[in-house]
Structures are given as structure tokens and as C-alpha cells.
Amino acid sequence: FVGNSTYLDDHGPPPHKVLPFPSQVVYNRVGKCGSRTVVLLLRILSEKHGFNLVTSDIHNKTRLTKNEQMELIKNISTAEQPYLFTRHVHFLNFSRFGGDQPVYINIIRDPVNRFLSNYFFRRFGDWRGEQNHMIRTPSMRQEERYLDINVCILENYPECSNPRLFYIIPYFCGQHPRCREPGEWALERAKLNVNENFLLVGILEELEDVLLLLERFLPHYFKDVLSIYKNPEHRKLGNLTVTVKKTVPSPEAIQILYQRMRYEYEFYYYVKEQFHLLKRKFGLKSHIRKPRPKPEFFIPSPLETEEPMDDEEDDEKWLEDIYKR
């Protein structure tokens, strides 16, 4: 009887879902490197293109025990594909635990600018909370909140010295204990992982080109990302998330920071060079000057320039709401 026929009787098995390649992407986002901007874009893109955006509520646990690594890898690997998983977490080696190694993407920025952005953001927040930004880190003692950045650096406070300053490299080196020790071993392992496991590591200072390349490499995730990013409604939000009360340390303090972060800079310049090679390969022009022996430090203030949105540890619903009006 026709009334009792099933879909299978009439049509055969349902069509198999053809997955784009790659269909497993991990964005293990580095703190204070514009990742909240990218996550906001991903929320819009996941609805537009129908991929599975998997985010994490854990923002302050980047180093995991072996069991925690196994558990997280298992959870990620069983997500519906195509997925893009994002979390502040140091590089995870899926193949070590018998999983399929996903494609990784990430963005980094000038190490001193990243450090300063984090230093002042922890204390004073950003322009969105202009009325209440003083409670950004409620547990912070007043003398710590108002600790002069130069004093912190010159008098070698823990926050302004190693190993706290060794921050970017472990995101690429991985979960091995030696990845947390400033030195050649962690640096070389991070470079190796960039070459072998990361589809793209971009530079925040050239964010529009990063988005262009992501659209080129991963169209099923990032198609139209640049037009969304350039949307005036989106751009004006950027001014609200610039860290407030940011001041520039003295030249002497900056020189000390540079010495303490020499491995971070070696990695940053390596990634930047690789990124520029990719840009040239795909016809994007870079304004490349010969590298100086010391980095050029320019810390823009909110009044001088529009920065990409600083990332923040919590995902804020109000940012998404503007797209649902």
C-alpha cells in the first residue's frame, strides 16, 4: 500500500552528506590577538554557511594534563563535521592519541603590544565599560591595579618578567612541559608545528589580509568574511573594545621587555616572514621594509587610530545582538 511506503522505498537511501575539505578546523586562539573579532565573525559565518561552530566556556586553562588532553580531543573529534573548534588552548597533538589531526589556524601580534594590551585590559577593561571599567578584575588590589608599567618592568615584578612574558610560543609548541620554558627548544618546536600543522598563522597588524587568505583557503567557512568585517555596523564596534588607559613604557623599559621576549620576537618575525611569502604567492602586496635590528614599537591610542577589536575572555551577547535586529 502506498500509505505504508517509506522514504527508502520511494527514493533509496538518503544522499550522503559530502563534506568539504578540510572539515575539521581548530582555532586555538592566542589571548589579546584580536580573537574576539574573529569569533564574532565566525558566529555570523556559521549561520550563513551552515558549519558547526564549537566554542568553549573555559578561558583560563591553556595547559592540560594527559587525561584532559585525551578528553578534549575526544570531544572535539566527535563533533558534527564540518566543525570549527575555538578555545584559548596550547597546541594539541591529536595524532598522539590516535585521532585525526585537524587543520589549525591562528593569529599573533607584536609581542610587546600584546603584553601591554593585556596589562592594561586586566586593570581597566575597554570603552564599552567606561562607567564601570574599574572592576574589570575585581579581585585585584588597588596598589596592583595602579602599578606603574615602568616600575613593573624595571623592578622585575613577576607580571613583567619571565616566564609570564613567554606567552605566544606555547600556543604553537604544545602541551610538553618544556614548551613553557623560554628557550630554543620551545621556539624550534613551535616553528615546526607552524609548518606541519597550521594552514595559516596570520598577523593581527594585517588583519584584512589574514581574512582574505582565510576566505581563499577555507571558503566553506570564511566566504564573504571581509565584507562582513568591513560592514560599518561591525566597524564601529571596534572603537568600543579598545583597551583604555593604555600608556607607553619608557624606551629603557621597552628595551628590557625586548630582551626578555627575544624568543617571542624571533618567532613573531618568523611567522611574519612566512605570512608575507603566502601573501606574495597569492598576489597580495605587502609594504615590507627591511627588518630593523630592534622592533619598532607603536602603541596606538583609541584617539589616534581604529584598532581591530581587542579580544576579551568572555563572549558578550550584546556584540551578536546587533546582527539579529
Side-chain angles (χ1 to χ4, degrees):
F1 295 97
V2 176
N4 292 333
S5 70
T6 65
Y7 180 94
L8 287 176
D9 294 330
D10 296 338
H11 303 279
H16 182 67
K17 185 178 180 183
V18 179
L19 291 171
F21 182 82
S23 60
Q24 303 171 80
V25 178
V26 172
Y27 172 32
N28 64 321
R29 51 196 185 119
V30 182
K32 306 310 293 176
C33 289
S35 67
R36 208 183 69 204
T37 302
V38 180
V39 170
L40 170 61
L41 291 168
L42 283 167
R43 290 191 191 286
I44 299 159
L45 291 165
S46 66
E47 289 187 17
K48 187 178 171 75
H49 301 318
F51 62 85
N52 182 16
L53 178 63
V54 186
T55 59
S56 173
D57 294 329
I58 302 169
H59 301 295
N60 56 1
K61 191 168 176 58
T62 54
R63 304 162 179 174
L64 310 177
T65 65
K66 186 176 177 182
N67 283 341
E68 287 169 339
Q69 290 177 58
M70 288 172 69
E71 188 65 26
L72 182 57
I73 286 170
K74 180 181 161 193
N75 289 344
I76 297 170
S77 299
T78 54
E80 185 187 352
Q81 299 180 24
Y83 69 72
L84 191 148
F85 173 80
T86 180
R87 172 176 160 178
H88 294 295
V89 66
H90 295 167
F91 175 79
L92 292 161
N93 189 339
F94 282 59
S95 52
R96 181 186 168 208
F97 298 101
D100 292 334
Q101 190 68 9
V103 159
Y104 273 83
I105 57 173
N106 219 321
I107 300 171
I108 64 174
R109 78 193 278 192
D110 177 282
V112 164
N113 277 348
R114 196 218 70 83
F115 164 74
L116 292 175
S117 182
N118 187 60
Y119 183 89
F120 291 106
F121 183 77
R122 284 184 67 236
R123 287 161 169 77
F124 306 116
D126 54 35
W127 290 106
R128 284 167 307 124
E130 193 173 356
Q131 301 306 313
N132 66 349
H133 61 250
M134 298 308 297
I135 58 165
R136 173 67 209 160
T137 312
S139 60
M140 189 178 282
R141 300 191 314 275
Q142 288 300 86
E143 59 265 33
E144 187 184 355
R145 191 184 303 282
Y146 289 100
L147 176 62
D148 182 272
I149 184 75
N150 291 301
V151 171
C152 184
I153 296 164
L154 297 173
E155 296 189 11
N156 211 18
Y157 279 68
E159 187 177 358
C160 298
S161 55
N162 278 316
R164 299 269 188 94
L165 295 178
F166 194 67
Y167 183 87
I168 297 172
I169 286 174
Y171 275 87
F172 299 87
C173 178
Q175 298 288 336
H176 192 286
R178 288 186 71 184
C179 288
R180 305 164 202 173
E181 300 168 9
E184 290 289 335
W185 189 91
L187 169 66
E188 292 307 317
R189 183 159 167 153
K191 288 181 181 176
L192 187 68
N193 275 333
V194 166
N195 294 337
E196 292 186 353
N197 292 297
F198 283 79
L199 179 68
L200 178 69
V201 183
I203 300 293
L204 183 62
E205 293 84 354
E206 301 170 37
L207 182 59
E208 290 195 5
D209 287 342
V210 178
L211 298 178
L212 268 174
L213 286 178
L214 284 170
E215 185 169 358
R216 176 76 66 95
F217 296 162
L218 298 168
H220 45 293
Y221 293 96
F222 286 97
K223 190 173 188 302
D224 300 324
V225 65
L226 200 57
S227 58
I228 295 168
Y229 176 69
K230 287 183 164 182
N231 179 303
E233 285 292 294
H234 186 283
R235 296 298 291 168
K236 74 183 182 188
L237 294 177
N239 287 331
L240 295 174
T241 55
V242 173
T243 302
V244 299
K245 292 184 182 282
K246 202 189 284 185
T247 57
V248 184
S250 68
E252 181 191 2
I254 283 191
Q255 186 57 37
I256 288 171
L257 273 185
Y258 180 47
Q259 292 303 323
R260 289 177 187 167
M261 301 173 91
R262 62 190 180 277
Y263 295 111
E264 294 273 277
Y265 270 102
E266 192 172 331
F267 182 71
Y268 173 72
Y269 285 129
Y270 176 79
V271 166
K272 193 172 188 177
E273 183 182 17
Q274 300 296 109
F275 182 62
H276 286 164
L277 285 171
L278 261 183
K279 280 172 61 171
R280 282 204 294 278
K281 184 176 175 182
F282 288 92
L284 298 175
K285 290 181 180 173
S286 292
H287 303 290
I288 305 176
R289 291 175 292 189
K290 287 187 178 176
R292 302 182 176 201
K294 294 173 188 173
E296 181 181 348
F297 296 103
F298 171 59
I299 295 84
S301 79
L303 299 175
E304 290 167 352
T305 185
E306 182 180 18
E307 283 188 343
M309 280 192 257
D310 265 328
D311 78 44
E312 182 183 326
E313 298 307 314
D314 345 314
D315 288 318
E316 302 236 11
K317 293 297 290 178
W318 72 272
L319 277 169
E320 300 163 52
D321 292 342
I322 196 163
Y323 294 98
K324 294 179 179 167
R325 289 175 192 164

